[in-house]
């Protein structure tokens, strides 16, 4: 096997291990939190453990992500110190506006397809069947939501578009592979199928920004915009119930997202003139 091929395989293996470790850590912490909160928590074997896991709430999952994300930020913060010279282009309003528009388009499509597919897409890591009342039936501490909204976008981008994308780029793979691999891995760690679809779509957008600007700063900005868009779009769309309205909104969201990403990419290339 040639040296270049070995470097490619090594980068992919390390990326897979990083993503798998991230998801495994969330599962372990969620299990620990669920067992600790269970009244029978002194017994962590057999039926008592199963009962504790069955009683795990969205709050346990959300706090697990928050705790793991905090560690991820500490471990992978050096990824922020990558090449930053081109990141000034992202602060330009000509780039910032289409990036934010793309995030709103993705959320419009995502939250519209939820009712069409019979699932409640929700926001962040909170998902519930429509029959159960959706988010209105889920009790999650506001502090957990705020903490997740602050740490998760930064942690996710430092890991997937910072460390993992950086490993891919340093191995000499093509831009398409350097964008696609982190996007697929990001989709794989999502807590539900709808979130995996959104994660893959967002991962491509974020990866393009990362590659074009040479900085993870653009990806972090996009992720925060996605979170804010999710809150605002959810609040605005919740009354929409008809299939026709949801279908039209989903299509418009997808189209607007694609157009906005294309425009942002052109602006970034014109402003920075380079890739990572």
């Amino acid at each position: 096997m040639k040296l270049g091929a070995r470097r490619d395989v090594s980068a992919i293996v390390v990326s897979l291990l990083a993503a798998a470790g991230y998801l495994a850590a969330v599962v372990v912490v969620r299990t620990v939190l669920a067992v600790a909160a269970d009244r029978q928590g002194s017994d962590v074997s057999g039926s008592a453990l199963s009962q504790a896991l069955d009683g795990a709430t969205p709050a346990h999952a959300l706090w697990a992500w928050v705790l793991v994300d905090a560690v991820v930020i500490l471990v992978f913060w050096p990824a922020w110190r990558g090449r930053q010279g081109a990141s000034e282009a992202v602060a330009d309003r000509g780039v910032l506006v289409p990036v934010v528009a793309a995030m709103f388009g993705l959320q419009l499509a995502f939250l519209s397809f939820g009712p069409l597919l019979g699932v409640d897409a929700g926001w962040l890591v909170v998902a519930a069947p429509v029959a159960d009342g959706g988010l209105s039936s889920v009790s999650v501490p506001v502090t957990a939501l705020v903490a997740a909204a602050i740490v998760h976008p930064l942690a996710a981008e430092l890991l997937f578009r910072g460390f993992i994308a950086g490993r891919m780029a340093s191995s000499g793979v093509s831009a398409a592979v350097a964008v696609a691999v982190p996007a697929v891995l990001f989709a794989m760690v999502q807590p539900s199928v709808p979130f995996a679809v959104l994660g893959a779509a967002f991962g491509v957008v974020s990866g393009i920004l990362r590659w074009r600007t040479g900085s993870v700063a653009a990806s972090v900005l996009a992720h925060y915009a996605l979170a804010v868009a999710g809150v605002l779009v959810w609040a605005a769309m919740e009354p929409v119930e008809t299939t026709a309205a949801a279908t039209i909104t989903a299509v418009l969201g997808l189209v607007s997202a694609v157009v906005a990403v294309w425009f942002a990419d052109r602006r970034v290339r014109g402003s920075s003139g380079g890739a990572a």
Side-chain angles (χ1 to χ4, degrees):
M1 184 181 293
K2 295 182 179 180
L3 177 60
R6 287 201 298 269
R7 289 176 61 188
D8 294 351
V9 172
S10 175
I12 292 176
V13 170
V14 170
S15 300
L16 284 170
L17 290 176
Y22 179 58
L23 183 59
V26 173
V27 173
V28 170
V29 174
R30 171 184 174 274
T31 301
V32 171
L33 293 176
V35 171
D38 188 75
R39 293 179 180 178
Q40 305 299 323
S42 57
D43 181 6
V44 293
S45 61
S47 60
L49 178 59
S50 299
Q51 180 181 353
L53 293 179
D54 290 340
T57 66
H60 292 137
L62 197 55
W63 278 121
W65 285 91
V66 170
L67 294 173
V68 173
D69 283 339
V71 175
V72 167
I73 292 173
L74 293 176
V75 173
F76 294 102
W77 184 256
W80 185 269
R81 297 199 300 265
R83 175 175 169 258
Q84 298 288 329
S87 62
E88 294 92 4
V90 183
D92 185 283
R93 191 172 67 175
V95 175
L96 179 60
V97 171
V99 166
V100 173
M103 298 305 102
F104 271 89
L106 283 178
Q107 287 287 16
L108 277 173
F110 175 53
L111 296 174
S112 298
F113 277 124
L116 295 177
L117 298 176
V119 295
D120 180 3
W123 177 62
L124 285 177
V125 298
V126 183
V130 173
D132 292 339
L135 292 182
S136 60
S137 66
V138 178
S139 177
V140 178
V142 174
T143 50
L145 287 173
V146 172
I150 293 173
V151 302
H152 183 66
L154 179 58
E157 296 313 308
L158 285 175
L159 175 59
F160 290 95
R161 257 64 64 175
F163 174 75
I164 292 178
R167 293 281 303 190
M168 301 303 301
S170 64
S171 71
V173 301
S174 64
V177 174
V179 170
V181 170
V184 171
L185 294 178
F186 184 61
M188 291 173 62
V189 303
Q190 300 306 310
S192 66
V193 174
F195 273 91
V197 174
L198 176 66
F202 172 75
V204 171
V205 175
S206 183
I208 291 174
L209 289 172
R210 164 69 175 85
W211 185 265
R212 294 300 189 192
T213 64
S215 169
V216 74
S219 301
V220 173
L221 171 69
H223 209 135
Y224 278 119
L226 183 73
V228 173
V231 177
L232 298 179
V233 172
W234 179 269
M237 287 184 55
E238 194 169 11
V240 178
E241 297 179 354
T242 65
T243 300
T247 303
I248 293 173
T249 304
V251 172
L252 290 177
L254 283 175
V255 172
S256 65
V258 171
V259 172
V261 170
W262 173 80
F263 187 75
D265 182 63
R266 287 194 60 187
R267 294 287 300 189
V268 168
R269 283 198 288 178
S271 300
S272 63

